[in-house]
Each structure stands twice: as structure tokens, then as C-alpha cells.
Amino acid sequence: MINGVVMTERTMDLRKVGLKVTHPRLQILRLLEKTERKKHLTADEIYRLLNEQGDEIGLATVYRVLSQFEQACLVRKHMFDDGSGRPMQACYELHEGDNHDHMVCLETGDVIEFVDEEINRRQTEIAARHGYDIVESSLILYVRPKKD
Amino acid sequence: MINGVVMTERTMDLRKVGLKVTHPRLQILRLLEKTERKKHLTADEIYRLLNEQGDEIGLATVYRVLSQFEQACLVRKHMFDDGSGRPMQACYELHEGDNHDHMVCLETGDVIEFVDEEINRRQTEIAARHGYDIVESSLILYVRPKKD
DNA sequence: ATTTATGCAAATAGTTTGCACACGT
DNA sequence: ACGTGTGCAAACTATTTGCATAAAT
């Protein structure tokens, strides 16, 4: 029963980028919204969480939808290499337009977001100096708790 | 005939980190040295290049050696997401201790290296502010040629 | 009604691993 | 001689894709 659904903010998001409003797309968007700023979810986690809450959505669909969302700039995809040796997995978060960067604690796996205008400024400047425009940037600090 | 070989800089590198001086390890190190600052090689490229020049080295060995080198800080591993859709591959470069960052041109695939002390300083400061020490950092600018 | 999306299962591709043998020290 | 490293083939895993059905406009 998606037809005739109330016009929520999320359905608008989908319409705006030219994607049909389907159950999987809505649910994935809602889940990311709920999880926003708390955690960065992998495709598999999204798949599992949705199915646990009763939405029967295939893993392939999760991947397809996330990929479409990424191209539509609705989500950002990250590859965090926690150095754990286990295979790397992409993780996703809602794209809020604030273009923040990330810090990954190698001991706890915690992800901390931050923004630094000076760093952003210098990045733009460096790119310009080489004759480029920045399309996207990825800054990840792998850290460990300070011992003092 | 590796035994009795002249004590080159590369054999020293291996000894220093406690790795036996074997043919595959030496050749991979030499190849990376030769390619230094020009390109960043994937495991598969290394495998192919070595075999083309007559060194019969298995792909599995290439992966194993690179992984050991990474842990020994002899090489740095990067995941460049060129946004091409094709599966992401790790690529490797000699670790020169200068801790430079990278710019990837989305149109040509070119990789440009750069160092910015101010960015590094701010990174350290941001980590400290959150109670962390930086173990490793990854800054990648995905760029396209300026159109003017 | 037409187009696009979904689910499933099978395919892909990078990377890892088990094991018997070869090599470095 | 001993312990490690290597090659091969098989295993693994994240992700993608083909195809028939189902859902959205």
C-alpha cells in the first residue's frame, strides 16, 4: 500500500531525484534517517535490520537502491579500513550536505564526524593550484585513544 | 641464487623488518621502487609485471607479501574509488615516510601526490581535541580538470 | 498499459587460505 | 636441519547481474 500514502518528506526526496516511490527505497531512507549521526551502516546491516523489522527486502535490492541513492547524492558511501584484516565493506550515511569528514577509532570502531573549514579551504586551493576542481573528497583519520 | 647476493639496500630493508630475503619479496620491492612516484600499482598489476619480466611469482604470494610489507610499514595501501563502477582494488606504493596525500583525476585516472603541513597540523589538533592520537590518515581528493 | 523495480539465484572478482613442496638461514 | 615462504587450486566474501514477476505511474 504505497499508493495513496501521505506525502512525507522522504517521498519528496525520492520524487525530487526522479526515483519511483517504492517500499524498499522508502524503508532504506527511513532507516538511514533513524540511524543518522549514530552509526554508518553497511549494506548487509541495512538488509538485516529491515528484515528484522518485518520488511522483506532482498540484499540485491539494498545494494541497487544504495547505489542509486549515491548517484542521486542522497547518501554518501565510505570505505573505512579499520585495519582489522577482515574484508572491507562499504558503509553508507544520509548525505546532509555538510560534507563532514570522519575519524575512525581503531580500538572501538567508533566513527566521529568533524568539519574543519580551514582544511576544506586548503584542499580547494591545492586542487586549484594543480588545475583541478574537487568533485568529492575523502578524509579519514584512523586514531587511537590518547594515552597520558 | 639469492644466497650470497650482494647486500643491496632492498635486502637491508627486508632484514630490518625481520623478513627473510626471498626472490618474490625482493622483486616486489624493486618493482615498487622503480615505479615509485609514477604510479600506484594493484596486486594484479604487480603480478602481471613481474611475470612479464620473467619472475614466476604466484598472485597469492603477491598478496601475502604486500600484506606483510604493509604491516612492516614498507608500503602504503590505498583504496581509490574512481567512481567508475568497476570493483575497487587496493593499490600500493613504497612508504617513503613523507606521509603525502593523494588527488585522483576522475577523467584520466592520474594520481597526484601532495603534502600540506597546515592540513596535517589541523588533523593532529582535531584528533587531540577529541582525545585521540592519529595512527594513520587517508586524504583523497577526487578531482576533474578545471574548465575555464 | 507501460515502464521500472524487486527477489532470487547464479555469476563476478578481488582477496585469502590449506597444503605439499622448496627455499633461506 | 629447521622454520618459513611459495605456488597452486580451492574457498570466501562483498557486490553485481539475468530473468521472470510484481509494483508504480
Side-chain angles (χ1 to χ4, degrees), chain A residues 2-3 15 20-21 59-60 63-64 89-90:
Chain A
I2 291 179
N3 234 338
R15 291 242 157 78
K20 284 189 182 175
V21 180
L59 181 55
Y63 275 108
R64 269 184 297 229
Q89 258 174 286

Side-chain angles (χ1 to χ4, degrees), chain B residues 51-106:
Chain B
N51 281 280
E52 275 169 15
Q53 74 180 36
D55 298 299
E56 307 215 333
I57 295 173
L59 182 54
T61 300
V62 173
Y63 275 108
R64 269 185 296 229
V65 168
L66 286 172
S67 165
Q68 296 159 341
F69 283 3
E70 192 196 356
Q71 283 181 296
C73 286
L74 286 176
V75 308
R76 292 214 297 165
K77 176 186 180 186
H78 301 288
M79 300 289 304
F80 295 144
D81 187 353
D82 58 358
S84 67
R86 63 180 149 256
M88 235 192 290
Q89 272 183 88
C91 65
Y92 301 83
E93 67 176 338
L94 270 196
H95 194 308
E96 303 287 2
D98 66 344
N99 244 75
H100 57 260
D101 293 307
H102 297 85
M103 230 152 93
V104 179
C105 177
L106 294 174

Side-chain angles (χ1 to χ4, degrees), chain A residues 66-133:
Chain A
L66 286 172
S67 166
Q68 296 157 341
F69 283 3
E70 192 196 358
Q71 283 180 297
C73 287
L74 285 176
V75 308
R76 294 213 297 164
K77 176 187 179 186
H78 302 287
M79 300 291 303
F80 295 145
D81 187 353
D82 58 357
S84 67
R86 62 180 149 255
M88 235 190 291
Q89 258 174 286
C91 65
Y92 302 83
E93 66 176 337
L94 270 195
H95 193 308
E96 304 286 3
D98 66 343
N99 243 74
H100 56 259
D101 294 307
H102 298 85
M103 229 151 94
V104 180
C105 177
L106 294 174
E107 290 189 7
T108 64
D110 285 355
V111 176
I112 297 109
E113 304 180 349
F114 66 89
V115 178
D116 186 290
E117 284 310 335
E118 177 64 13
I119 288 181
N120 293 341
R121 207 172 306 132
R122 294 192 79 95
Q123 287 180 4
T124 308
E125 190 189 313
I126 291 164
R129 191 183 309 149
H130 290 262
Y132 292 106
D133 283 323

Side-chain angles (χ1 to χ4, degrees), chain A residues 31-48:
Chain A
L31 179 57
L32 286 171
E33 184 184 24
K34 205 165 44 176
T35 317
E36 177 195 359
R37 300 212 163 273
K38 290 186 196 139
K39 221 180 161 186
H40 294 68
L41 299 175
T42 65
D44 198 72
E45 284 168 339
I46 292 172
Y47 167 71
R48 197 166 333 208

Side-chain angles (χ1 to χ4, degrees), chain B:
Chain B
M1 251 132 290
I2 291 180
N3 234 338
V5 91
V6 196
M7 186 65 108
T8 74
E9 212 179 316
R10 294 306 145 205
T11 66
M12 284 303 293
D13 287 347
L14 290 174
R15 290 242 159 78
K16 246 182 280 186
V17 299
L19 290 171
K20 283 189 183 175
V21 180
T22 66
H23 184 69
R25 300 215 256 240
L26 267 180
Q27 289 308 88
I28 291 175
L29 219 41
R30 291 208 182 106
L31 180 58
L32 287 170
E33 183 185 25
K34 204 164 46 177
T35 317
E36 178 195 357
R37 299 215 163 269
K38 290 186 194 137
K39 222 180 159 186
H40 294 68
L41 300 175
T42 65
D44 197 72
E45 285 168 338
I46 293 172
Y47 168 70
R48 198 166 334 207
L49 286 169
L50 289 181
N51 281 280
E52 275 169 15
Q53 74 180 36
D55 298 299
E56 307 215 333
I57 295 173
L59 182 54
T61 300
V62 173
Y63 275 108
R64 269 185 296 229
V65 168
L66 286 172
S67 165
Q68 296 159 341
F69 283 3
E70 192 196 356
Q71 283 181 296
C73 286
L74 286 176
V75 308
R76 292 214 297 165
K77 176 186 180 186
H78 301 288
M79 300 289 304
F80 295 144
D81 187 353
D82 58 358
S84 67
R86 63 180 149 256
M88 235 192 290
Q89 272 183 88
C91 65
Y92 301 83
E93 67 176 338
L94 270 196
H95 194 308
E96 303 287 2
D98 66 344
N99 244 75
H100 57 260
D101 293 307
H102 297 85
M103 230 152 93
V104 179
C105 177
L106 294 174
E107 292 189 6
T108 64
D110 285 354
V111 175
I112 297 109
E113 305 180 348
F114 66 89
V115 178
D116 186 290
E117 284 309 337
E118 177 63 15
I119 287 180
N120 293 341
R121 207 172 307 131
R122 293 194 78 96
Q123 288 179 4
T124 309
E125 190 189 312
I126 290 163
R129 192 182 308 148
H130 289 262
Y132 292 106
D133 283 324
I134 296 179
V135 174
E136 179 71 52
S137 84
S138 161
L139 168 55
I140 306 167
L141 304 180
Y142 297 99
V143 301
R144 87 157 60 92
K146 232 181 181 41
K147 48 193 68 166
D148 49 1

